[in-house]
Structures are given as C-alpha cells and as structure tokens.
Amino acid sequence: MQLKNFYPKMSILGIATVMALTACSDDNPSTPFANTPQFPDSSSAMEPTSSDALAEPTSSSAAAVDPSTLPAEGPITLPQGLGVLVDDFEDGDNLSVFDYWYTYNDNDNGGASIITTPLNAEENIIPASVNNGSKFALQVNYTLDRGDYEFDPYVGWGVQVAPDEANGRFGGLTYWYKGGAHEVHVEITDVEDYDVHLAKFPASRTWKQAVVRFKDLVQGGWGKEVPFDAKHIMAISFQAKGNKSKVITDSLFIDNIYLQDSSEVEKDQPDMEIKDPVIPNVTFTEAEITVTNPLQEKAMKYLNKGVNFTNWLENADGKFKSFELGEKDVQILAENGFKSLRLPIDLDLYATNRDAFVKGTDTELKFDDDTLFMVLDSFVEWTAKHNMSFVIDYHEYDNSYNTTSAKDTNYIKMMAETWKHVAAHYAENTREDLFFELLNEPDMSDGKVTAAQWTVAAQAMIDAIRTVDTKHSILFGDAQWYSITLLTKRTPFTDDNIIYVIHTYEPFAFTHQGGSWTDYATIHDLPFPYDPAKWSTVSGDFGVNKSTKSYVKTNIKNYYKTGSKEAIMEQILKAKKWAATNNVPVIINEFGALNLRSTAESRINYLTAMREICDTLQIPWTHWGYTGNFSVIENGKLIEGLDKALGVGK
C-alpha cells in the first residue's frame, strides 16, 4: 500500500495493506459484503448507469472555483446536536476536528490504482468547490486498477482519531456523498489484524445522506471477531474497491461528516409478531425412500459421517504451497468417529498451460504432476491408513466455470482432460472408497449456469473419466449450488456408477447469520429451532436494520415457518423420493451453521436435527468444515456436544 503524507504530523496508524484484502475462505467464497447501510426514507440508493459515466481523474492540483458558477444541487443539511462535526470542509483546508486527511492506494502491493485530490500550492489536500448548500466538500478522483495485485484493487482516504473514553458516547456516523460506491471504515484499536468494522454504500449520482449506526457495523470476516467499542475509535476512513476483471475510474465527494451522540441514533421499533411455530406434517412410506441399488449400500458404508477440509486448496490462490492440513488432521477426525474426508481442490490450477489450451494455442494439456499427486497421493495414503474414505472434489472459488466458459468447448474439454488425467493416475488403485466429484456447485459465485449447460460439461467429464477408469464411483451435484429442485427434475445419467449429491444450508437465515459475505451480515441470535419464548416483536433485536434487504426481513419474519427440523426434512425428502423413484443413491456432502452469531445450543440443536433427518431417510452426510467458522474440531478436540449431535466421538 502506498500512503501519501501531507503533513509531518501524520502517522499511518491503522492503515495497512491487509485492510483491503477480500476474505478468501470457506466463510467467504469471494463474494462482496452484503451490508448496505441505510439511507433516509426520502432518499433512494442509486447504482451507476451508462448515462452517468465514470468521471476521469482530474489533475492533482485544482484551481479555485466560485461555487456560485456551479450547477445548484441539494441543499444538504448540516447536522446540529449533541454529537461532533468531524468536518464540513467550509474552512477550505485539510484539517478536520481531529487531524489531517490522508490518502493511500494499493501500489506497494503491486496494484496500479491511482487516487488524486485537489491540492494547494504547498501540495496539501484542499476541498473542492461545490454548490450543494455549502461551499466545499472533500473530493477524490480515482482509478482502480488491479495491476499485479493478487486481490481486488483499492484506494482510500481518512482521518485519525485519538482514542478517548469520552468517545464512548458516540453511537453512529452520518455524512453526505455523491459519486462512486464505497465503504466507510470505523477503525478501533482492539482490531489487530486489520479486519475493520465497516459498512458499504452504493454509488449515487446525486447528493445522498448516509447514516450508519455503530450497532450495524460488520467486520470484513477474514480476521478475529472483535466487539465494536466507540471509546477505542482511532480512525474514520473511506475506501473505494474495484474488482479483478476491469479497470474502474470514478470520483466521490464527501461532506458534513458527523459523529452522532447515542441519544441521536434512531432506535429500533416493533415490527413483528410473536407467533406459534408452524410445523410441516412430513409423511412418507418406506417404499418412497427405499433404494435397492447396491450403490446405496456403498454410499452408506463409505460416505456417511464425513468432513470437508475447507479454506485451503479450493481458494482462488489455493495451489498447494505447504501441508496446512495433513495426516495429523486425518487422524484426529478418524479418532473422533468420522468416516469420510472430502478434499475440495481446484484441480485445474495444476494444469500448467490451462489458458493456452483453452485458447486453442496448445493442443495438449500439461500438468504439474509432482505437486498435484504429492497432495492427492498423500491423502489417499493417510485416509487409507486411518480407515476413512476419500473424495477428490474438483472445487473452485475463482468461478472459472461460469456462463461464459460453459459455452466454450475448449474450456469444457480442459475440465474433461483434467479429470481424465487424475482418473488415469488412480485407475489401478484398488480402493473402492475412493470417489471422484465432478465439480462442486457449478458457477458457484453466480448460479446462472443452467442445468442443460452443466449437463453437457458433466457428461464430457464422465466420458473422459470412463475412458481410463470404470471402477471408481463418480459424484454429481446439479447446478445452482447442488439444487434439490433441479435434481428432482433430472433424468439420471446412463452411467450406473454415479452417486448424486445435494447441499443444504436451510434455514439459511439461521445457518448464515453473521456471514459478512451474505445479506445476513448483521443478523444475530436467531435460535434453532424457532421458539416463541426466545422471539421478539422487534426485528432489530436480531440485527435487522433499514439497510437489510427486504427478502431477508421477510425471511426473519417468516422464521416461525422455516425454523424447524420438519421444515428442513420436507425439502430433503424431495431429493430422497427422487432417488428412490430412480433407484439411485443421494447424499448430502455440505451442510453446517456458522459459529459467528448463533448460540452453541442452537447449533447443537441444528446439527442434531440434520443427523436425525439423514438417519431417518438413510442419506449419508458430510459436514462443511473441520475448523474455522464451520467447525467440528477446535484445538484438536471434538466440540462439546457434537458426539451426541452427530453420532460420532471416540
């Protein structure tokens, strides 16, 4: 990161390169933060359109402009109350009530982003002229260019605040802005890994007021979770962030930044009813769930009580560097009663000329076999030694299989050749508990690849595998995140050695509350199962705020219908009935609940319900997560209560 100092007094406390990192983990599959802070009801959020084209950066030095000559906009309001006006920029200088303004960019990390501001003759930041009811506002112009940076490009600007016990009285922040999408960061000294508390705002081409309650701030999600404490505020900063695929040029004006006294922060109001739970009546006959295919017995024997090794080899930058997880971890799982290991790994990262092959300039796909098979062979050996089955799961967080590549015959051929290469390596392996999973959740970032498109790619991979290996079973899940709905509309493949897979994280409001990459980032304390005694008439008690998306609010209000074992079972039963009708096995190899905002008791209740459902329907299961935010093991030991919940343990 490159930070520009404008006064010797400036330090870089609270600014570091990792501030701008996008979390890359099982807890965050490279998707944006979902929290969009509130706007006053009179203002609507606006996204950029082609007609409000992005502004070109101006010179870093700007001549004074008479505001009266500018088109009138606004007027914006100047807050007055018990809080503190951080800066209204009307004095025309670089000094806020706390300190001087600074800027920074991603250049020290290999990025090529540029940030410029109007400067005076001494090369100090000065505000820009505006005609919004005030004379001046802070203006930044920027170009977001990834360059050689590994993650999303960024620029930022901010002001330091001296931590003070008296600052504990502040409960929120307001400001006016016009321009590009951005984040506001309220940094506190308690955060030591730069996983700052933040909120996101969409672009607006007219002046809008942003209102952020500190209670609604969320952290990025890649570091240690730390409670927000206003007494420890050390900086207020803003950040514009781009993406890896294109260069973005834009500008942003900020004005009238105000720290609200807690008494000025809007309070949550009653907006829900406390209702009795609505429990579905789930019924079925034994015949409706019976699968006589020998693969069913094989699946129950080898693919039940499984665990995923996550947040490693499936990452966009996940090509093997070292054994972050190894035999000791396999042994821990085996000793605690787990029977299967699913290893998510992005197999095509080991194709050394992948891009050239897809472009058609190379006709033969080549591989880094030394690395690829050192990893896979090690886990094949370790799982055999500790009596666990092993699933090689082609799993990619870079979303390289998407709506574009799904139409590219060379890309599909690359995927097929990759599997042929791996399958050929294990064709003579006598283990019947070694499985090949075609591709996890095709187009997992967007879910827009159709079932028909995915069928073409899947069939190509199946055919390629079967040219070298007819023995080992293949695992197939459908498009749209291994959708139950799509699977139940499918005619099974003609290959008779395929086991079908679904994923389920329902009720999503419960399992993903607090997930910073989801629209449930601010949600907390939803119980499982739904319990009227633990409910509230105020959705804000569960983290709902004005920025919460309407469908999330609806899901919270309807949780009395979905927050039960029976509601989950009703959905899973559809897949099981399809499997029985077609006499093929179906398994669940992803489910789980984030441990960020729910209670341990509720998570145990949820996992117990999932295990009981799978036992009843004779569906083998594999839990998403070994350690981390979807964990079964902590500090080398089985989490308390999981022995009974999942039917495992020593």
Short mmCIF file of all heavy atoms in Angstrom, two decimals, residues 289-327:
data_model
loop_
_atom_site.label_atom_id
_atom_site.label_comp_id
_atom_site.label_asym_id
_atom_site.label_seq_id
_atom_site.Cartn_x
_atom_site.Cartn_y
_atom_site.Cartn_z
N ILE A 289 -38.83 -44.13 0.05
CA ILE A 289 -37.43 -43.75 0.32
C ILE A 289 -36.47 -44.93 0.17
O ILE A 289 -35.28 -44.80 0.49
CB ILE A 289 -37.29 -43.14 1.72
CG1 ILE A 289 -37.62 -44.16 2.81
CG2 ILE A 289 -38.13 -41.89 1.87
CD1 ILE A 289 -37.21 -43.72 4.21
N THR A 290 -36.93 -46.04 -0.30
CA THR A 290 -36.09 -47.23 -0.42
C THR A 290 -35.34 -47.25 -1.75
O THR A 290 -35.93 -47.11 -2.82
CB THR A 290 -36.92 -48.51 -0.29
OG1 THR A 290 -37.52 -48.54 1.01
CG2 THR A 290 -36.05 -49.75 -0.46
N VAL A 291 -34.02 -47.42 -1.66
CA VAL A 291 -33.16 -47.55 -2.83
C VAL A 291 -32.47 -48.91 -2.75
O VAL A 291 -31.72 -49.17 -1.80
CB VAL A 291 -32.11 -46.42 -2.88
CG1 VAL A 291 -31.15 -46.62 -4.05
CG2 VAL A 291 -32.78 -45.06 -2.97
N THR A 292 -32.73 -49.77 -3.71
CA THR A 292 -32.16 -51.12 -3.70
C THR A 292 -30.85 -51.21 -4.46
O THR A 292 -30.15 -52.22 -4.39
CB THR A 292 -33.16 -52.12 -4.29
OG1 THR A 292 -33.47 -51.74 -5.64
CG2 THR A 292 -34.44 -52.15 -3.46
N ASN A 293 -30.51 -50.19 -5.20
CA ASN A 293 -29.26 -50.14 -5.95
C ASN A 293 -28.08 -50.39 -4.99
O ASN A 293 -27.99 -49.77 -3.93
CB ASN A 293 -29.13 -48.76 -6.59
CG ASN A 293 -27.95 -48.63 -7.53
OD1 ASN A 293 -26.91 -49.24 -7.34
ND2 ASN A 293 -28.12 -47.79 -8.55
N PRO A 294 -27.16 -51.31 -5.32
CA PRO A 294 -26.01 -51.57 -4.44
C PRO A 294 -25.18 -50.33 -4.13
O PRO A 294 -24.49 -50.29 -3.10
CB PRO A 294 -25.18 -52.58 -5.25
CG PRO A 294 -26.17 -53.24 -6.15
CD PRO A 294 -27.18 -52.19 -6.50
N LEU A 295 -25.26 -49.31 -4.98
CA LEU A 295 -24.53 -48.07 -4.69
C LEU A 295 -25.04 -47.39 -3.43
O LEU A 295 -24.31 -46.64 -2.77
CB LEU A 295 -24.65 -47.09 -5.87
CG LEU A 295 -23.69 -47.29 -7.05
CD1 LEU A 295 -23.96 -46.22 -8.10
CD2 LEU A 295 -22.24 -47.23 -6.60
N GLN A 296 -26.31 -47.63 -3.08
CA GLN A 296 -26.86 -47.06 -1.85
C GLN A 296 -26.11 -47.61 -0.64
O GLN A 296 -25.70 -46.86 0.26
CB GLN A 296 -28.35 -47.35 -1.73
CG GLN A 296 -28.98 -47.01 -0.39
CD GLN A 296 -29.04 -45.51 -0.10
OE1 GLN A 296 -28.92 -44.70 -1.02
NE2 GLN A 296 -29.22 -45.15 1.16
N GLU A 297 -25.92 -48.92 -0.63
CA GLU A 297 -25.19 -49.54 0.47
C GLU A 297 -23.75 -49.05 0.51
O GLU A 297 -23.19 -48.79 1.58
CB GLU A 297 -25.22 -51.06 0.32
CG GLU A 297 -24.53 -51.81 1.46
CD GLU A 297 -24.59 -53.31 1.29
OE1 GLU A 297 -25.26 -53.78 0.34
OE2 GLU A 297 -23.97 -54.04 2.10
N LYS A 298 -23.15 -48.89 -0.67
CA LYS A 298 -21.78 -48.38 -0.74
C LYS A 298 -21.70 -46.96 -0.19
O LYS A 298 -20.77 -46.62 0.56
CB LYS A 298 -21.29 -48.43 -2.19
CG LYS A 298 -19.86 -47.91 -2.39
CD LYS A 298 -19.44 -48.01 -3.84
CE LYS A 298 -17.99 -47.54 -4.01
NZ LYS A 298 -17.53 -47.64 -5.42
N ALA A 299 -22.66 -46.13 -0.56
CA ALA A 299 -22.66 -44.75 -0.08
C ALA A 299 -22.81 -44.70 1.43
O ALA A 299 -22.12 -43.94 2.11
CB ALA A 299 -23.78 -43.96 -0.76
N MET A 300 -23.73 -45.50 1.98
CA MET A 300 -23.93 -45.51 3.43
C MET A 300 -22.67 -46.01 4.15
O MET A 300 -22.33 -45.54 5.24
CB MET A 300 -25.12 -46.38 3.80
CG MET A 300 -26.47 -45.78 3.43
SD MET A 300 -26.81 -44.17 4.21
CE MET A 300 -26.73 -44.61 5.96
N LYS A 301 -21.98 -46.96 3.55
CA LYS A 301 -20.80 -47.53 4.17
C LYS A 301 -19.62 -46.56 4.18
O LYS A 301 -18.90 -46.45 5.19
CB LYS A 301 -20.40 -48.82 3.44
CG LYS A 301 -19.17 -49.52 4.01
CD LYS A 301 -18.88 -50.80 3.24
CE LYS A 301 -17.65 -51.51 3.81
NZ LYS A 301 -17.35 -52.77 3.07
N TYR A 302 -19.45 -45.84 3.08
CA TYR A 302 -18.22 -45.06 2.93
C TYR A 302 -18.40 -43.54 2.99
O TYR A 302 -17.43 -42.83 3.25
CB TYR A 302 -17.57 -45.40 1.59
CG TYR A 302 -17.03 -46.81 1.51
CD1 TYR A 302 -17.43 -47.66 0.48
CD2 TYR A 302 -16.12 -47.29 2.45
CE1 TYR A 302 -16.93 -48.95 0.39
CE2 TYR A 302 -15.62 -48.57 2.38
CZ TYR A 302 -16.03 -49.41 1.35
OH TYR A 302 -15.54 -50.69 1.27
N LEU A 303 -19.59 -43.03 2.74
CA LEU A 303 -19.76 -41.58 2.62
C LEU A 303 -20.58 -40.97 3.75
O LEU A 303 -20.99 -39.81 3.66
CB LEU A 303 -20.38 -41.23 1.26
CG LEU A 303 -19.51 -41.57 0.05
CD1 LEU A 303 -20.27 -41.33 -1.25
CD2 LEU A 303 -18.22 -40.76 0.07
N ASN A 304 -20.80 -41.71 4.79
CA ASN A 304 -21.53 -41.20 5.95
C ASN A 304 -20.55 -40.70 7.00
O ASN A 304 -19.42 -41.18 7.09
CB ASN A 304 -22.41 -42.30 6.53
CG ASN A 304 -23.50 -41.73 7.44
OD1 ASN A 304 -23.92 -40.59 7.27
ND2 ASN A 304 -23.97 -42.52 8.38
N LYS A 305 -20.98 -39.72 7.78
CA LYS A 305 -20.16 -39.15 8.85
C LYS A 305 -18.85 -38.59 8.30
O LYS A 305 -17.76 -38.92 8.75
CB LYS A 305 -19.90 -40.17 9.95
CG LYS A 305 -21.17 -40.68 10.62
CD LYS A 305 -20.88 -41.64 11.76
CE LYS A 305 -22.18 -42.10 12.43
NZ LYS A 305 -21.94 -43.02 13.55
N GLY A 306 -18.99 -37.71 7.31
CA GLY A 306 -17.82 -37.12 6.67
C GLY A 306 -17.58 -35.67 7.07
O GLY A 306 -18.43 -35.01 7.67
N VAL A 307 -16.40 -35.18 6.69
CA VAL A 307 -16.00 -33.80 6.97
C VAL A 307 -15.25 -33.26 5.76
O VAL A 307 -14.51 -33.99 5.09
CB VAL A 307 -15.10 -33.72 8.22
CG1 VAL A 307 -14.45 -32.34 8.36
CG2 VAL A 307 -15.90 -34.02 9.49
N ASN A 308 -15.43 -31.97 5.47
CA ASN A 308 -14.67 -31.26 4.44
C ASN A 308 -13.45 -30.57 5.05
O ASN A 308 -13.55 -29.96 6.12
CB ASN A 308 -15.54 -30.17 3.80
CG ASN A 308 -16.57 -30.70 2.84
OD1 ASN A 308 -16.31 -30.83 1.66
ND2 ASN A 308 -17.76 -31.02 3.35
N PHE A 309 -12.32 -30.64 4.36
CA PHE A 309 -11.17 -29.80 4.70
C PHE A 309 -11.32 -28.50 3.89
O PHE A 309 -11.14 -28.50 2.67
CB PHE A 309 -9.87 -30.49 4.33
CG PHE A 309 -9.32 -31.40 5.39
CD1 PHE A 309 -8.24 -32.22 5.13
CD2 PHE A 309 -9.88 -31.44 6.66
CE1 PHE A 309 -7.72 -33.05 6.10
CE2 PHE A 309 -9.37 -32.27 7.65
CZ PHE A 309 -8.28 -33.09 7.36
N THR A 310 -11.64 -27.42 4.56
CA THR A 310 -12.00 -26.18 3.86
C THR A 310 -10.95 -25.09 4.03
O THR A 310 -10.02 -25.21 4.82
CB THR A 310 -13.35 -25.67 4.39
OG1 THR A 310 -13.21 -25.39 5.79
CG2 THR A 310 -14.44 -26.70 4.20
N ASN A 311 -11.17 -24.01 3.24
CA ASN A 311 -10.35 -22.80 3.37
C ASN A 311 -8.89 -23.08 3.04
O ASN A 311 -8.00 -22.62 3.73
CB ASN A 311 -10.47 -22.22 4.79
CG ASN A 311 -9.86 -20.84 4.89
OD1 ASN A 311 -9.76 -20.13 3.91
ND2 ASN A 311 -9.44 -20.46 6.09
N TRP A 312 -8.68 -23.82 1.98
CA TRP A 312 -7.30 -24.18 1.63
C TRP A 312 -7.16 -24.35 0.12
O TRP A 312 -6.97 -23.38 -0.60
CB TRP A 312 -6.90 -25.44 2.40
CG TRP A 312 -5.48 -25.89 2.20
CD1 TRP A 312 -4.41 -25.13 1.83
CD2 TRP A 312 -4.99 -27.23 2.34
NE1 TRP A 312 -3.28 -25.91 1.74
CE2 TRP A 312 -3.59 -27.20 2.05
CE3 TRP A 312 -5.57 -28.45 2.68
CZ2 TRP A 312 -2.80 -28.35 2.09
CZ3 TRP A 312 -4.78 -29.59 2.73
CH2 TRP A 312 -3.41 -29.53 2.44
N LEU A 313 -7.25 -25.56 -0.37
CA LEU A 313 -6.89 -25.87 -1.75
C LEU A 313 -7.95 -25.47 -2.76
O LEU A 313 -7.70 -25.53 -3.97
CB LEU A 313 -6.57 -27.36 -1.89
CG LEU A 313 -5.39 -27.86 -1.05
CD1 LEU A 313 -5.29 -29.39 -1.12
CD2 LEU A 313 -4.09 -27.23 -1.51
N GLU A 314 -9.13 -25.08 -2.29
CA GLU A 314 -10.18 -24.64 -3.20
C GLU A 314 -10.13 -23.14 -3.46
O GLU A 314 -10.85 -22.62 -4.32
CB GLU A 314 -11.56 -25.03 -2.67
CG GLU A 314 -12.10 -24.17 -1.53
CD GLU A 314 -11.62 -24.60 -0.15
OE1 GLU A 314 -10.52 -25.18 -0.06
OE2 GLU A 314 -12.35 -24.35 0.82
N ASN A 315 -9.32 -22.41 -2.72
CA ASN A 315 -9.26 -20.96 -2.85
C ASN A 315 -8.75 -20.55 -4.22
O ASN A 315 -8.04 -21.31 -4.90
CB ASN A 315 -8.36 -20.36 -1.77
CG ASN A 315 -9.00 -20.44 -0.40
OD1 ASN A 315 -10.20 -20.65 -0.28
ND2 ASN A 315 -8.19 -20.28 0.63
N ALA A 316 -9.06 -19.31 -4.61
CA ALA A 316 -8.62 -18.81 -5.90
C ALA A 316 -7.10 -18.82 -6.01
O ALA A 316 -6.55 -18.98 -7.10
CB ALA A 316 -9.17 -17.40 -6.12
N ASP A 317 -6.43 -18.64 -4.89
CA ASP A 317 -4.97 -18.70 -4.86
C ASP A 317 -4.52 -19.97 -4.14
O ASP A 317 -3.48 -20.00 -3.49
CB ASP A 317 -4.40 -17.47 -4.14
CG ASP A 317 -4.87 -17.38 -2.69
OD1 ASP A 317 -5.87 -18.03 -2.35
OD2 ASP A 317 -4.23 -16.65 -1.91
N GLY A 318 -5.31 -21.03 -4.29
CA GLY A 318 -5.15 -22.21 -3.44
C GLY A 318 -4.19 -23.27 -3.94
O GLY A 318 -4.15 -24.36 -3.36
N LYS A 319 -3.41 -23.00 -5.00
CA LYS A 319 -2.46 -24.02 -5.42
C LYS A 319 -1.52 -24.35 -4.27
O LYS A 319 -1.04 -23.46 -3.57
CB LYS A 319 -1.67 -23.57 -6.65
CG LYS A 319 -0.79 -24.69 -7.21
CD LYS A 319 -0.10 -24.32 -8.51
CE LYS A 319 0.76 -25.49 -8.98
NZ LYS A 319 1.48 -25.19 -10.23
N PHE A 320 -1.27 -25.61 -4.09
CA PHE A 320 -0.54 -26.12 -2.92
C PHE A 320 0.80 -25.42 -2.72
O PHE A 320 1.59 -25.28 -3.65
CB PHE A 320 -0.32 -27.63 -3.08
CG PHE A 320 0.49 -28.24 -1.97
CD1 PHE A 320 -0.14 -28.64 -0.80
CD2 PHE A 320 1.85 -28.42 -2.09
CE1 PHE A 320 0.59 -29.21 0.24
CE2 PHE A 320 2.60 -28.97 -1.06
CZ PHE A 320 1.97 -29.37 0.10
N LYS A 321 1.02 -25.00 -1.49
CA LYS A 321 2.30 -24.43 -1.09
C LYS A 321 2.91 -25.25 0.04
O LYS A 321 4.12 -25.44 0.09
CB LYS A 321 2.13 -22.98 -0.65
CG LYS A 321 1.59 -22.06 -1.74
CD LYS A 321 1.41 -20.64 -1.21
CE LYS A 321 0.82 -19.72 -2.27
NZ LYS A 321 -0.58 -20.07 -2.60
N SER A 322 2.06 -25.68 0.97
CA SER A 322 2.53 -26.49 2.10
C SER A 322 1.34 -27.23 2.67
O SER A 322 0.19 -26.89 2.38
CB SER A 322 3.18 -25.62 3.18
OG SER A 322 2.22 -24.72 3.74
N PHE A 323 1.60 -28.23 3.50
CA PHE A 323 0.53 -29.00 4.10
C PHE A 323 -0.04 -28.26 5.31
O PHE A 323 0.36 -28.50 6.45
CB PHE A 323 1.02 -30.40 4.49
CG PHE A 323 1.05 -31.37 3.35
CD1 PHE A 323 2.25 -31.74 2.76
CD2 PHE A 323 -0.13 -31.88 2.83
CE1 PHE A 323 2.28 -32.62 1.70
CE2 PHE A 323 -0.12 -32.76 1.75
CZ PHE A 323 1.09 -33.14 1.18
N GLU A 324 -0.97 -27.34 5.03
CA GLU A 324 -1.65 -26.68 6.13
C GLU A 324 -2.47 -27.68 6.93
O GLU A 324 -2.71 -27.49 8.13
CB GLU A 324 -2.54 -25.57 5.59
CG GLU A 324 -1.77 -24.46 4.87
CD GLU A 324 -2.68 -23.40 4.29
OE1 GLU A 324 -3.86 -23.34 4.71
OE2 GLU A 324 -2.22 -22.62 3.44
N LEU A 325 -2.96 -28.69 6.27
CA LEU A 325 -3.65 -29.81 6.90
C LEU A 325 -2.97 -31.08 6.42
O LEU A 325 -2.55 -31.17 5.26
CB LEU A 325 -5.13 -29.82 6.53
CG LEU A 325 -5.92 -28.57 6.91
CD1 LEU A 325 -7.29 -28.57 6.25
CD2 LEU A 325 -6.06 -28.46 8.43
N GLY A 326 -2.87 -32.07 7.31
CA GLY A 326 -2.13 -33.27 6.94
C GLY A 326 -2.60 -34.50 7.67
O GLY A 326 -3.75 -34.59 8.11
N GLU A 327 -1.69 -35.46 7.83
CA GLU A 327 -2.06 -36.74 8.42
C GLU A 327 -2.59 -36.58 9.84
O GLU A 327 -3.52 -37.28 10.25
CB GLU A 327 -0.88 -37.71 8.41
CG GLU A 327 -1.27 -39.07 8.98
CD GLU A 327 -0.15 -40.08 8.97
OE1 GLU A 327 0.98 -39.73 8.56
OE2 GLU A 327 -0.40 -41.24 9.38
#
